[in-house]
Amino acid sequence: MNLHTAVAEAAKKAGARLLAIHSPDARPADRAAMAATVRHNDAVALDGLRADLTAARPGAGWVEEEHETTGLPPGEWWAVDAVEGNVNHVHGLAEWAVTVTLLRDGEPVLAVVHQPVGDLTYTAARGEGAWLNAAPLRVSAKRDLDAAIATTGQAEPGQERTYRRIGDSVTAMLGRALLVRVAVPSTFPLLLLANGQNDVFWQYEPVLSGIAAGVLLATEAGAAVTRIDGSPWRPGSPDLLVAAPALHEAAVTVLSAVD
């Protein structure tokens, strides 16, 4: 079994465990109940997933919380969100997934996103393209920002200045794009972008496990991936911009004006 197949199988196994405890009727009563279920989901998904990935690539490190917003040391690293969109799972929604990315010397080189509801598996390998099940992914051919669907994400708690920048950037983009959304988690708008159904995505203070897979999928589907000012993006960069190629320059212009 090659590495890509092994990673996809590991993600599907974790997804099956999560699907078995997913209920469309779930409605948490309060934050405490939600937090308890989130922790339980994490444990269910990680039970076996970490062991499977370690067996597939014994020398690769594991991205922990302290690595999520900083540059990675050299070598290979697994960036994993065992329940990406855990809050959605807890509320009975369908937009949750298992995401796995292998990074090598700071570059995503292999990614798998498995969405159990709908049995959707997104895969990408550097230089080999991006796929949804057996179908190749390709970004939008749009050339004008006024026809674009643009999406941003939400920052981690306690980042008041970042909250203000998010609001200002949404306001700036509202004046230029066809439609502007704020979505959590970040993976899903990046999947839509890779599939040509969304055109621009940006985020301040991104968490690596939430964007690494989507970045590679979008890149391999033909997107431009940079920082918001147009400079190169690397793990640990404080912001991210992903766009269909013909829209990238206009998105940089709009978002770079936000202080």
Side-chain angles (χ1 to χ4, degrees), residues 119-212:
D119 193 22
L120 305 174
T121 304
Y122 298 80
T123 59
R126 182 161 296 282
E128 298 180 15
W131 304 80
L132 168 54
N133 295 340
L137 298 176
R138 192 68 194 166
V139 296
S140 166
K142 290 179 184 173
R143 306 190 62 82
D144 298 311
L145 201 55
D146 65 2
I149 298 173
T151 309
T152 190
Q154 183 173 318
E156 293 287 289
Q159 300 185 39
E160 282 72 15
R161 181 175 181 272
T162 301
Y163 297 159
R164 179 183 61 78
R165 295 178 76 197
I166 293 169
D168 290 347
S169 67
V170 168
T171 299
M173 193 61 77
L174 280 167
R176 294 293 306 279
L178 174 69
L179 182 64
V180 181
R181 295 170 173 158
V182 178
V184 178
S186 302
T187 292
F188 288 94
L190 285 167
L191 296 178
L192 292 174
L193 197 151
N195 202 24
Q197 296 168 297
N198 196 350
D199 308 294
V200 176
F201 176 82
W202 77 99
Q203 187 164 8
Y204 298 103
E205 306 297 338
V207 173
L208 184 59
S209 61
I211 60 167

Side-chain angles (χ1 to χ4, degrees), residues 33-71:
M34 182 175 65
T37 307
V38 162
R39 289 192 297 270
H40 177 66
N41 288 350
D42 280 331
V44 167
L46 280 172
D47 180 23
L49 178 59
R50 186 162 185 163
D52 286 344
L53 296 178
T54 298
R57 209 69 167 180
W62 194 271
V63 172
E64 304 288 359
E65 187 174 352
E66 63 267 24
H67 302 121
E68 289 280 21
T69 55
T70 64

Side-chain angles (χ1 to χ4, degrees), residues 18 43 58 62 68 76 107 115 138 141 192 196 214 233 251:
L18 289 165
W62 194 271
E68 289 280 21
E76 292 189 336
E107 294 287 342
Q115 186 179 354
R138 192 68 194 166
L192 292 174
W233 174 85

